[in-house]
Amino acid sequence: MRTSPTRVTGRKLISAAAVSAALVAAATTSVAVAQEPAASATASEAAAQAVAAPAERLIVGYKAGAAEAKSNPAADADAVAKGKEAGESLDFQRRLGTGAALVDLGEQLSKADVADVIAEYQADPQVAYVVPDRLNKPQADPNDTEYSKQWDLFETTAGMRVPGAWDTATGTGVTVAVIDTGYVAHSDLAANIVAGYDFIADTAVSVDGNGRDSNPADPGDWSAANECQAGAPASTSSWHGTHVAGTIAAATNNGKGVAGIAYNAKISPLRVLGKCGGYDSDIIDAITWASGGTVSGVPANANVAKVINMSLGGSGACTSATQTAITNAVNRGTTVVVAAGNSNANAANYSPASCGNVISVAALSRTGAKASYSNFGSTVDIAAPGGQTSTGTANGILSTLNSGTQGPSTESYAYYQGTSMAAPHIAGLAALLKSANSSLTPAQIESAIKTNSRALPGACSGGCGAGLADATKTVQAVSGTGGGTTGTVFSSGTAVSVPDNGSAVESSIAVTGRTGNAPSALQVGVDITHTYRGDLVITLVAPDGSTYPLKASSTSDSADNVNTTYTVDASSETANGTWKLRVQDVAASDTGRINSWKLTF
């Protein structure tokens, strides 16, 4: 509560979702005595570093003229004396090239203990500075020349926080099938390309002079005016599949071009889109083959994909034929990621965005709001950067391309926009997750992405799924490097609106496959967007109706959002059953939304 304020012949084809995407042609001498910094700066620096983390060693710089600045025995004696004063056992280790003394703290001390030792040194007028001997690690930011333009990977507002995930996983061991226009040779992708297939059976669509074969090379998908549809203007080749592939797995730290999200993953290009689009039948066979299924007349796949990306779509709900192929792929252990579509409409009326067992991805602009073109709705699972070039070309998604307007020419880089660009962000993330934890199922990958997403920085009228995908948080969650629990997780990423000063709303999670009772330290992770969280009352409801208060209302808590984990003693409750998160806004003037929540047993 606030006290203040397709072709003319009529054949139905699936079209590439980003056909209208915007394209833009892309040895020093050591000194014996350490220098003497300002005392006030030294004290504040050391204090801040001591609070930041424990330490095993200290670097001590003595003032010129001090015996300890030149004499190792004197520095050792000083360390012993100061250790005695602080109640610790200190030991002089060696002299650094700058003349400073390296002092060992013995057994690893707490932050408070380190601070006590530092205070002893700071009190000595002969000490110029004392700082912890910090442990440094290689930085993950790559040296690719265009990386600074990839806001979608690292920017605070709407970037997907990818660099932090690279410390844990880079996609090694995972193949991603890009079901798209095929692949045009590009030196920034070549190292990560493995064998694919050309599934286009109709030579009028394939325009490569033949039907299905083992060569997924993209000859270009340009068309003349009225060739694909009456009234349609002429279009140049999109090289769409190559752009998508670059976002997922462009070679990284190679001193050129862009960085891929899962840059050690492999890309298997499967060609299904040609002039004017591509048929469901070809796409269905590509899904089947990519995931390890058998397709008549096509050799067995030696590069079975654990992730499929389909940045394509057409109008109409998901058909039983397409759904069957997707379900079979998921049952084989392959995660299927699809674009939500670019019609600024309900994704439920588009395919494969409306299919079950997929991760359907909406597009966000650089400000974190739904991109103007992006589809939306309850079938959308997650949002990712897709770009908005109407606000500036550099606000699009930069990736690998070709400069040819019809057939291939020289390799290039270009900014595109579209849910076609958002989907490969999630496919790349799925590859990182599978690389970090090879036992993850498609359902667990989807759940992890949704559960560990963060609230949208901007607006999305109609629904953009669980939120903005967070690569760092998600990879840490599945790999156990985030400091959280690593038990079995059940989650809900279905958004539920919380009305202002209204009745309580509930979100459900069905827990199955457990034996006995819930744990005495059941973890309840909650992600709720709200503009005045003090208004909220949050309750966990057990399968038998028992309630466990998580948060009470407070007139003094004016902060935004609830993104935290509660611990509940639920040992008296049977684990299996439907658990509910009940949320009520009990005061006027603010609204909110349950983005996602999870139970960790």
Side-chain angles (χ1 to χ4, degrees):
M1 176 171 59
R2 298 194 188 277
T3 56
S4 62
T6 131
R7 263 156 112 83
V8 180
T9 58
R11 298 177 295 178
K12 181 180 177 182
L13 290 81
I14 298 291
S15 61
V19 166
S20 61
L23 169 65
V24 177
T28 59
T29 301
S30 297
V31 294
V33 181
Q35 293 183 348
E36 183 176 333
S40 59
T42 302
S44 61
E45 175 190 25
Q49 292 177 351
V51 171
E56 297 178 355
R57 291 173 293 274
L58 297 177
I59 299 173
V60 182
Y62 290 95
K63 293 181 179 179
E68 295 87 351
K70 300 178 180 179
S71 168
N72 291 352
D76 186 33
D78 190 43
V80 171
K82 287 183 169 57
K84 185 176 181 179
E85 290 294 325
E88 306 295 344
S89 179
L90 307 188
D91 180 37
F92 170 79
Q93 292 290 295
R94 60 184 172 87
R95 186 76 58 179
L96 303 188
T98 59
L102 182 65
V103 177
D104 185 73
L105 297 176
E107 295 185 4
Q108 187 170 0
L109 307 183
S110 68
K111 297 177 185 178
D113 292 336
V114 174
D116 289 343
V117 174
I118 287 176
E120 290 294 329
Y121 275 104
Q122 289 176 335
D124 185 342
Q126 296 302 310
V127 172
Y129 63 84
V130 55
V131 295
D133 185 17
R134 299 179 301 184
L135 180 65
N136 293 270
K137 297 181 180 181
Q139 295 300 304
D141 286 358
N143 62 13
D144 302 72
T145 55
E146 304 301 307
Y147 175 71
S148 63
K149 300 174 183 178
Q150 293 182 272
W151 61 267
D152 47 308
L153 303 190
F154 59 80
E155 277 193 355
T156 301
T157 300
M160 216 173 72
R161 297 188 65 217
V162 174
W166 289 333
D167 290 336
T168 303
T170 58
T172 301
V174 180
T175 296
V176 181
V178 174
I179 300 180
D180 212 294
T181 64
Y183 165 67
V184 61
H186 200 294
S187 63
D188 210 8
L189 266 172
N192 287 333
I193 298 294
V194 295
Y197 207 82
D198 181 354
F199 279 93
I200 303 179
D202 189 329
T203 56
V205 178
S206 69
V207 298
D208 61 357
N210 52 47
R212 290 184 169 183
D213 57 39
S214 61
N215 183 7
D218 186 351
D221 56 359
W222 64 276
S223 62
N226 302 309
E227 186 175 7
C228 294
Q229 184 177 347
S235 66
T236 59
S237 291
S238 67
W239 315 113
H240 189 266
T242 300
H243 196 282
V244 167
T247 296
I248 298 171
T252 302
N253 280 317
N254 61 342
K256 64 177 294 182
V258 296
I261 292 171
Y263 59 78
N264 279 328
K266 299 303 182 184
I267 297 291
S268 176
L270 306 187
R271 187 168 180 249
V272 299
L273 302 178
K275 187 183 288 285
C276 305
Y279 287 105
D280 279 350
S281 54
D282 292 342
I283 294 169
I284 288 168
D285 280 352
I287 295 169
T288 302
W289 190 81
S291 58
T294 300
V295 177
S296 178
V298 180
N301 185 3
N303 299 293
V304 175
K306 290 305 179 183
V307 182
I308 286 174
N309 185 92
M310 290 195 289
S311 289
L312 46 78
S315 61
C318 184
T319 67
S320 297
T322 299
Q323 184 63 68
T324 298
I326 290 172
T327 300
N328 290 342
V330 171
N331 288 341
R332 295 185 191 104
T334 299
T335 298
V336 181
V337 180
V338 305
N342 295 342
S343 300
N344 188 28
N346 194 326
N349 299 319
Y350 294 82
S351 178
S354 61
C355 296
N357 293 322
V358 302
I359 304 177
S360 183
V361 188
L364 301 180
S365 69
R366 196 169 183 172
T367 65
K370 185 187 83 68
S372 61
Y373 53 79
S374 179
N375 284 356
F376 51 82
S378 61
T379 63
V380 172
D381 294 299
I382 198 71
Q388 184 83 59
T389 57
S390 62
T391 60
T393 300
N395 292 332
I397 305 301
L398 186 66
S399 188
T400 46
L401 213 75
N402 191 278
S403 64
T405 58
Q406 294 187 357
S409 183
T410 57
E411 64 179 44
S412 64
Y413 301 87
Y415 293 95
Y416 272 5
Q417 66 173 15
T419 56
S420 279
M421 283 60 256
H425 283 77
I426 301 303
L429 175 52
L432 292 178
L433 299 180
K434 193 69 175 177
S435 176
N437 185 343
S438 62
S439 68
L440 291 175
T441 66
Q444 289 172 328
I445 288 173
E446 178 177 353
S447 176
I449 291 172
K450 293 160 73 171
T451 300
N452 292 286
S453 64
R454 65 187 193 270
L456 295 185
C460 176
S461 176
C464 284
L468 170 58
D470 187 320
T472 294
K473 184 179 178 183
T474 310
V475 169
Q476 288 177 345
V478 305
S479 63
T481 59
T485 178
T486 58
T488 302
V489 178
F490 297 84
S491 64
S492 172
T494 302
V496 178
S497 296
V498 180
D500 182 35
N501 196 20
S503 302
V505 297
E506 294 180 339
S507 176
S508 300
I509 292 177
V511 175
T512 60
R514 307 296 297 174
T515 58
N517 288 359
S520 58
L522 177 63
Q523 303 295 297
V524 186
V526 176
D527 182 359
I528 299 174
T529 298
H530 198 276
T531 48
Y532 193 96
R533 69 185 183 199
D535 292 357
L536 297 180
V537 176
I538 306 175
T539 306
L540 177 67
V541 184
D544 67 355
S546 300
T547 58
Y548 295 83
L550 302 179
K551 179 190 176 299
S553 62
S554 172
T555 58
S556 62
D557 189 359
S558 62
D560 294 341
N561 309 329
V562 181
N563 197 332
T564 190
T565 299
Y566 301 97
T567 301
V568 173
D569 182 356
S571 57
S572 63
E573 304 291 342
T574 300
N576 289 337
T578 300
W579 296 74
K580 299 177 181 178
L581 186 72
R582 181 180 294 162
V583 180
Q584 184 175 13
D585 184 323
V586 297
S589 300
D590 298 88
T591 60
R593 181 181 68 250
I594 303 173
N595 297 310
S596 64
W597 70 289
K598 63 181 178 180
L599 295 170
T600 305
F601 288 79

